[in-house]
Amino acid sequence: MNEAWPLPAGCGELGDLVRNYDWAQTPLGPITGWPQCLIFAVSTVLLSPVPIVLLWGEDGIMIYNDAYSGFAGGRHPQLLGSKVREGWPEVADFNDNVMRVGLAGGTLSYRDQELTLHRYGRPEQVWMNLDYSPVFDASGQPAGVIAIVVESTERVLAERRLRASEALFRTLTEGIPQLIWRAAIDGTCIWSSPQWQAYTGQTDVTSLGWGWLDAVHPDDWATAQAAWRDAAETGHLSYEHRLCNAPENRHCWFQTRATAVRDAEGRIVEWLGTSTDIDDLRQLQERQQVMVAELQHRTRNLLGVVRSIAKQTMAQTGPGETFRERFNDRLSALSRVQGLLSRSDQEPITLRALIETELAALDAPTMQGRIRLTGPMVRLRKATVQTFALALHELATNALKYGAFTTPHGRLNVTWRTFPSEDGRRLLVEWVEEGLVRERDIQSPVTRGGYGRELIERALPYALKAKTRYELGETALHCAIDLPLPAGEAIGSQA
């Protein structure tokens, strides 16, 4: 048989199998009787390095090469000499169409054709590139079909995994608030996320290369470029800068960080980075610094006030129980002021609230019928509150111990109003006590020129640029405090 088979050398394992196969048991008959067109076609198939199968005759008798045997898997070598519809019964309809078209002289071509094959005794989903062409006999009539079969399953699945990975990456990059980008090793942009484009107003084209720098505040260009130069050496990138907020037409602070993407040898091939909005955080930090500075300033001032209160009280009373009582009273007044100041960001300090707080501390609510407060809503600045509150405390304490609240018929009338002047608006507060009964040889601490009188006549003019007037008669006390009303002190309707 071998002598009768003119097969060229180098046909591999399938060449030997074809030579020794009992073809007499097939519709092709003994190999010695094969026509030259069949022998030529078989030789071509066996010598090809790509998977090829010859489907001969109406039944599509299968003759294939070594490359195809690998594709056939567990079906090899039983497929050799079998009828194609029976050799691959799970795709019989598909191959039936192939034979019908091929034997009619037509060609077929499929790319990534999905089929389910049983190559190892179980269903297996595969994808293939298939090309079918007719093989003609000596008379020029189609006698068989030659099929080039290249499996693309691995590539198709890899592309699907890549697309899934890209979809996941897009979902991730588009779903987080950070601006995401990819950059080459030198910092030039190779991709920017939709968030970057929406925020900066750039497009996927204008942000490429060094175009992204156009979105950075010009004052921060040097910082950004220096960070990229250092990143090439350190393998780390992190810096803060301002980016253009295109919708709001302003620049906001961002923190930019990136992770180096390395190849198998550990060399940086690109950077994957994010830019995170920290503008609110920066503003909070700046406000915190201001608040700390203000707290330190206020604490120093408060200590100075306490020291002054102690000194003036001691000078007035000397050491002993009287000093302790009055010093504690004045510290309590100071504490109440600090309580108001601590809530001033949520609850503005008004003149009425300041007066009511001081009167309430002296149990004045039990004498509400004898107290009248009238004036518009005036919001006081923090700088005004402390000194003014201490003056009100001295007046209220004096009213309780020596003034209107020491007699059954005494009354307190506090009025205030605002008015324009040559140097801006001013506030006039008038404290009037009526119904006083006073022995001629007894004078109140305020009258004697003690701490309260000093607060009103010296501290208020010095600290608040106020004009004060204090008049004590036989049956009435009139104290007027006239001070500037800066623009920061809001004025409301009559309250």
Side-chain angles (χ1 to χ4, degrees), residues 398 402 438-449 472:
N398 189 70
Y402 308 101
R438 184 168 60 84
E439 296 183 19
R440 294 182 180 277
D441 58 340
I442 298 179
Q443 290 183 317
S444 72
V446 173
T447 307
R448 290 199 303 267
L472 179 63

Side-chain angles (χ1 to χ4, degrees), residues 121-283:
R122 63 182 183 278
E124 180 186 6
Q125 194 175 25
V126 297
W127 287 263
M128 293 179 290
N129 292 333
L130 304 170
D131 292 284
Y132 299 96
S133 301
V135 179
F136 298 94
D137 60 17
S139 65
Q141 295 299 312
V145 177
I146 193 167
I148 300 175
V149 181
V150 178
E151 185 171 0
S152 58
T153 301
E154 185 174 344
R155 178 181 56 78
V156 169
L157 293 179
E159 289 177 352
R160 289 190 174 187
R161 288 192 295 269
L162 179 60
R163 287 195 294 271
S165 177
E166 290 174 344
L168 180 61
F169 179 75
R170 283 195 302 272
T171 300
L172 175 65
T173 57
E174 295 176 7
I176 63 177
Q178 285 90 344
L179 315 184
I180 304 179
W181 41 265
R182 292 169 55 203
I185 57 176
D186 61 350
T188 53
C189 178
I190 58 179
W191 175 83
S192 60
S193 69
Q195 294 97 310
W196 173 281
Q197 296 161 27
Y199 190 90
T200 64
Q202 292 189 320
T203 67
D204 55 348
V205 174
T206 58
S207 62
L208 296 180
W210 289 107
W212 63 271
L213 267 179
D214 292 337
V216 177
H217 194 287
D219 292 347
D220 298 331
W221 286 355
T223 299
Q225 292 171 327
W228 275 108
R229 285 194 299 271
D230 293 341
E233 298 179 3
T234 64
H236 300 283
L237 180 77
S238 179
Y239 65 98
E240 294 183 2
H241 59 101
R242 285 160 290 181
L243 278 178
C244 175
N245 183 334
E248 298 181 12
N249 193 29
R250 65 189 183 98
H251 284 83
C252 297
W253 281 99
F254 275 75
Q255 182 179 63
T256 285
R257 292 178 175 174
T259 298
V261 180
R262 302 177 183 271
D263 60 16
E265 285 72 35
R267 294 171 300 193
I268 299 176
V269 293
E270 68 172 76
W271 295 86
L272 179 61
T274 61
S275 296
T276 304
D277 189 342
I278 59 168
D279 200 65
D280 289 344
L281 178 61
R282 290 278 297 227
Q283 292 184 30

Side-chain angles (χ1 to χ4, degrees), residues 98-107 134 136 142 144-145:
V98 167
M99 295 306 301
R100 183 166 56 252
V101 173
L103 292 178
T107 61
F136 298 94
V145 177

